[in-house]
Amino acid sequence: MSDAAAREILIEGARALAHIDGLDAGLQRLLDVLAEQFEVASAVVFTVDGHPDRLEIAASVGLDERTGAGLVAAVANPDHPIARTVASPVATFDVLPTAPGGPALRSHLPLIVRREQADVVVGVLALAHDRPIEPVVRPLVLAGADLAAIAIERLRS
C-alpha cells in the first residue's frame, strides 16, 4: 500500500469524524475510503446495539439489499465469524468464508473503545477480499477499524 493511500485513509477518516453529521453518513464515508484503498469486494460495519447478539449494519459497500439482509440473519448465529468477533474481540485476517460464493477471503476486526477503564466492543468491520492482506498493511487496516470505533462512539451520542 502506498503512502498516498495511507494519507487518503487518514484524511478522509478525520473528515468523516469531524465534519459529517450522523453515524450512518460518517461511517459510510469512512467505509467508502477503506474499501477503495484496500481494494475489497465488499465491506460492512456492524454496530452492537446494546446487546452483543444484536448486530445491525450501519454502513456497507458492495452489498445489495438482499445480501445485506441475509448477512444480518447469518450473524444472529453465535458461531458466525462476525458474531464471534464480538464475543472474542480479536482481529482475524484472510479467513476462508463459511458460505460458498463471493470473494475468497474474509477479515473481521472488532471495533473497540475504552469506557470507564474497560474495553467495549461497539461493532465489527468485516471485509471480503480476493487477495490476502499483507502483514505490513494490517496496522493500517486496524487504524481504519479504530477510526470506525471512534466514529460509532462519537456519532452515536
Side-chain angles (χ1 to χ4, degrees), residues 82 85 91-95 105-109 124-129 133 138 141:
I82 292 172
T85 301
T92 57
F93 291 94
D94 306 333
V95 177
L105 302 169
R106 307 287 191 271
S107 294
H108 307 100
L109 299 98
V124 174
L125 171 62
L127 307 171
H129 45 94
I133 296 175
R138 290 178 183 181
V141 178

Side-chain angles (χ1 to χ4, degrees), residues 7 10 14 19 24 29 31 40 46 62 86 97 101 103 106 123-125 147 154:
R7 277 193 306 274
L10 177 62
H19 300 290
D24 293 349
R29 181 63 200 128
L31 194 57
V40 298
F46 278 92
V86 174
R106 307 287 191 271
V124 174
L125 171 62
L147 287 171
R154 179 192 174 281

Side-chain angles (χ1 to χ4, degrees), residues 69-80 83:
L71 186 55
V72 168
V75 301
N77 178 346
D79 290 329
H80 190 280

